[in-house]
Amino acid sequence: IDVFGNHVISSSKDNTLKLWRLKPNNNYECLITFQGHTGSVNSCAFSPKNGEFVASVSEDHNVKIWDTMKFINKPKPKNELVVSQAIRTAFAHEKDINCVRISPNQKLIATSSQDRSIKLWDAKKLQMTLQLKGHKRGVWDVAFSPVEKLIASAAGDNTVKIWSTDDGSCLNTFEGHISTVLSVKWLALGLELISGSADGIIKVWNVKKATCVNTFDKHEGKAVSYTHLRAHETPEHLVCRLLLEKKK
């Protein structure tokens, strides 16, 4: 799932994506169903600046780009639409693709896979520009830095890595998790990272010092995702808020 304004894009094991819009009564209406993948759609992402396109990846090993420009902030079609033709399609990985992300400037798309690699793609042409190799097991999540030409990755080898999006070099490896790292996000305008692993452990990392500055171990299951930090919210406040919301 990804969010742009009052729109949500969702992906499913039924091989489709759906575009939803929040109505004034706080209910969601489905605007479009995107069909074209021949396997479960594992991840999807909005273009973060304007929501004009969506990227998706599937167990069919393909990455696709879909046009959403004509539907964002436009009147609802009389009938729910079905779109079966993507703007671009590329065969991306030899094994299942776990994640897709779009860079803040919308010029790059990143995909990560069980083949232990990350690939960077030109977002307009959907042509691969770099392949990042170094993880010893499948890569479950990636995240572009909000301010620098960097991308972070989380993998089954229990590590988090930071890579240059200019030349594909690995700049740092964060070790400390003892289980598969399933998710990673940037915090504090790129000064910190937060990662979650299959044993329920959440860690916060200082990027420049390459050190773990906090560990949370209150989850009973896998720590697979986070919501965005609210204004002025620290990582500690975020974890406490999520735990309280879970109890409710």
Side-chain angles (χ1 to χ4, degrees), residues 114 116 134-141 153-162 172-184 195-203 205 212:
Q114 288 302 106
R116 301 178 291 179
H135 279 295
K136 297 178 181 178
R137 293 194 177 178
V139 185
W140 286 99
D141 195 15
S153 59
D157 58 10
N158 306 350
T159 68
V160 173
K161 290 181 181 289
I162 294 180
N172 225 324
T173 299
F174 298 86
E175 298 179 335
H177 283 288
I178 58 173
S179 184
T180 295
V181 190
L182 296 172
S183 53
V184 64
S195 58
S197 56
D199 56 4
I201 300 296
I202 295 171
K203 288 183 176 289
W205 308 86
C212 179

Side-chain angles (χ1 to χ4, degrees), residues 101-104 108-110 120 142-148 150-152 165 186:
R101 299 285 183 260
I102 301 172
S103 64
L108 292 175
I109 293 173
L120 300 183
V142 292
F144 283 100
S145 167
V147 292
E148 298 184 82
L150 303 173
I151 190 168
T165 59
W186 294 85

Side-chain angles (χ1 to χ4, degrees), residues 16-75:
T16 70
L17 299 97
K18 288 183 180 289
L19 178 67
W20 309 79
R21 182 163 58 204
L22 180 64
K23 299 195 297 184
N25 62 3
N26 288 328
N27 290 325
Y28 279 90
E29 57 186 359
C30 183
L31 303 179
I32 318 164
T33 297
F34 297 98
Q35 298 178 346
H37 282 293
T38 57
S40 296
V41 186
N42 294 333
S43 181
C44 56
F46 269 116
S47 53
K49 290 175 64 177
N50 52 29
E52 290 183 350
F53 66 93
V54 164
S56 63
V57 292
S58 166
E59 290 183 3
D60 62 13
H61 304 171
N62 289 326
V63 56
K64 289 180 179 286
I65 297 176
W66 307 88
D67 180 12
T68 52
M69 179 173 59
K70 64 183 76 172
F71 307 107
I72 296 294
N73 298 320
K74 301 292 174 61

